[in-house]
Every structure is written in structure tokens, then in C-alpha cells.
Amino acid sequence: MKNYPKYFTFWHIFAHYGLRFSSLLVLAFLMLPILVIIPLSFNVEPFFTFTDGMLALDPEAYSLKWYAEIWHDDKWLLAIKNSFLIGICATLIATVLGTLAAIGLSNPAMPWQKLWMAILLSPMIVPLIITAAGMYFFYSQLNLAGSYLGVILAHAALGTPFVLITVNAALSGFDYSLVNASLGLGARPTFTFFKVIMPLIRPGVISGALFAFITSFDEVVVVLFLAGPEQRTIPRQMFSGLREQINPTILAVATLLILISALLLFTIEYLRARAERIQTGDLDD
């Protein structure tokens, strides 16, 4: 039996375990609709429902053929290639722009900081369908609609606010006297940035880059407006598959996306904890 402090009453203990239990219920409510996709992706039959064999845990009712189907379908291979190509390029652009914007906005001498912050965060606030429609009409004037460059720039614009937020948080406790000391000793601004500023904000930069990549990798609305047949991404292919030809290959791809997203989220959480240790001076390396 766990020993509680003497001032703990029955209601304290009830509230303690009640909070834990309610948190587990909320987690189950959020996760079960997602996790149910995983076993369905191993269904040997081309159905989106659990068969009698699956419910009976019959090994013959499960198969990996839908995962193999991904690598034998040219449309899925093109979508995978496009998703990584567009995601990586958009992440690089968003990381550079977001980091520079965060450093500039963190400077106390920067005028109208709140106004600029609101403008730069607007892609997160404005409904995505409005953003996508506006990008389509604007990019059409520049002949960027239906091109890789247009989709990359659009996803970079959507990912930049995430980098801005994470880097701005990393800069919240930054000591600018280090920058003044470096410049006072004759160091160039570029040297000061890479050797003084970047090592301290690196976890925030990497976290923002991962968020930007996830945003690009999972985005479908802008792709529907801007992408042509050659720029088809995984979410766009899944959307088309649901409309044209439904089979568990979509569930197999969704399972892989869940695993990738979980891995990236665990990485982000590790970087966040590491950034806290750096700020508190508890990091040993």
C-alpha cells in the first residue's frame, strides 16, 4: 500500500486516482480510432471490417500482401517519392525562414514585434481551405500551380510558423550578453550565429523542423489545389483511393504513417526534454 502524507484524506486519494483514470479514458478515446486501423491493415480479405477469422485470431486471416502491394504500385511509389521530396525541401526552407524570423523577433529592438508575429503565424490561424484557395489564385499568376516548386513553397509557408514558435520558445531564456561578448571580441556575426546562438537553440530548431516536416507530409488540402498528377503525394493518393478504388492498401499506408508520426513525436519530446536540461544546466555531455 502506497504511503500518502498524513494530510491526504480519502477525497485527495480519490481525486488522485480519478484524474489518472479520466486521463486514460481520454487517451483511449483519442487513440483507439487510430489504432484500430493497424490490425485491419493485415486483413487477408479486401474489406475494411474485421472478419470472423480475424476475431478468432486465425493466422490465415492475416496477411502482409497489402504492404507488398504498396511497393508494386507505381502510383504509390510516386506518391512516396513526392511526399519525401516535397517534405524535405519545404522543411529546409521553413527551418531557415522560421529560425531567422524568430531570432529577429526576439531582439528587444525589433519594432512592432506582436504585429509581425501575428502575421507570420497567420497560416496556422486562417482556415486551411482559405489559405489553399488564395495560394492557388496567387500561384496561378506566377505559373507555379501544378509544379513541384509551387507545392514546396506552399508547404514551406505552412511549416514556417511551427519553426518560429519552437525557436522563439528556445530563445525565451537566451542570454544576449553572450552575443555581445562574442562580437566585442571581434567575432563575425556569422561565426557568432553558428558558434554561440545555434548550439543553444539547436533543439528548438530541430523540433520545429520535425513539426514542419510532419505538416508537409500529412497535408492534403493545399495539394488538392496546387498539385498536378506528377506532384501527387501520399495523402492525395489516399484521398483518391477512397474515392476510386477502396482496398486495405490505404490502411497499410496509414499504419506506416502512424509509425512515422509516432517516431517523429518521440524525437520531438526527447529534444524538448534535452532543451530543458540545457537551460537548467543539467546536461552532462
Side-chain angles (χ1 to χ4, degrees):
M1 186 73 179
K2 185 175 181 180
N3 294 325
Y4 290 96
K6 293 182 179 180
Y7 60 84
F8 261 47
T9 64
F10 168 78
W11 294 110
H12 286 95
I13 300 174
F14 178 80
H16 174 73
Y17 285 103
L19 179 61
R20 289 190 175 186
F21 181 71
S22 60
S23 299
L24 290 176
L25 288 179
V26 173
L27 181 63
F29 177 78
L30 295 174
M31 295 301 297
L32 285 179
I34 299 176
L35 297 179
V36 75
I37 293 175
I38 298 177
L40 284 175
S41 67
F42 296 99
N43 190 357
V44 72
E45 301 293 340
F47 305 136
F48 275 36
T49 58
F50 289 98
T51 62
D52 294 336
M54 295 182 69
L55 296 176
L57 300 181
D58 182 4
E60 295 184 358
Y62 295 86
S63 174
L64 292 173
K65 69 177 184 179
W66 305 116
Y67 289 88
E69 183 70 20
I70 299 172
W71 312 109
H72 293 90
D73 191 322
D74 293 337
K75 291 183 178 179
W76 282 112
L77 292 178
L78 177 63
I80 293 172
K81 184 197 75 171
N82 286 339
S83 289
F84 279 99
L85 173 64
I86 294 172
I88 292 173
C89 293
T91 298
L92 292 175
I93 297 174
T95 302
V96 173
L97 296 179
T99 301
L100 294 178
I103 293 174
L105 291 174
S106 65
N107 191 334
M110 180 71 181
W112 303 318
Q113 290 181 348
K114 293 183 178 180
L115 176 61
W116 289 117
M117 180 67 76
I119 293 175
L120 292 175
L121 294 181
S122 60
M124 296 178 62
I125 302 171
V126 177
L128 191 55
I129 186 69
I130 297 176
T131 302
M135 287 180 173
Y136 172 75
F137 289 113
F138 177 71
Y139 285 9
S140 296
Q141 300 297 322
L142 302 176
N143 294 324
L144 291 176
S147 67
Y148 282 100
L149 180 59
V151 179
I152 289 172
L153 293 177
H155 281 188
L158 297 177
T160 298
F162 293 95
V163 181
L164 174 61
I165 290 175
T166 56
V167 177
N168 189 64
L171 287 168
S172 60
F174 186 78
D175 186 4
Y176 277 92
S177 63
L178 299 175
V179 177
N180 296 331
S182 176
L183 296 176
L185 292 172
R188 295 182 178 179
T190 53
F191 180 89
T192 300
F193 174 77
F194 286 107
K195 296 298 183 180
V196 179
I197 300 177
M198 182 55 71
L200 296 176
I201 66 172
R202 186 181 294 118
V205 173
I206 298 176
S207 297
L210 292 177
F211 274 119
F213 180 78
I214 293 175
T215 301
S216 173
F217 205 76
D218 294 340
E219 202 283 322
V220 65
V221 178
V222 171
V223 174
L224 288 173
F225 275 82
L226 293 180
E230 295 300 321
Q231 294 82 45
R232 184 182 296 256
T233 60
I234 293 176
R236 170 68 184 276
Q237 179 62 29
M238 294 176 69
F239 181 81
S240 299
L242 289 172
R243 297 177 57 190
E244 300 168 2
Q245 183 181 4
I246 298 178
N247 65 63
T249 305
I250 298 174
L251 300 180
V253 175
T255 300
L256 296 177
L257 290 179
I258 291 172
L259 295 177
I260 293 173
S261 299
L263 178 62
L264 292 177
L265 290 175
F266 279 122
T267 304
I268 291 171
E269 179 60 23
Y270 167 77
L271 293 172
R272 184 197 62 79
R274 189 174 186 275
E276 289 183 354
R277 293 198 300 272
I278 289 176
Q279 291 181 353
T280 58
D282 295 334
L283 195 64
D284 295 331
D285 55 4

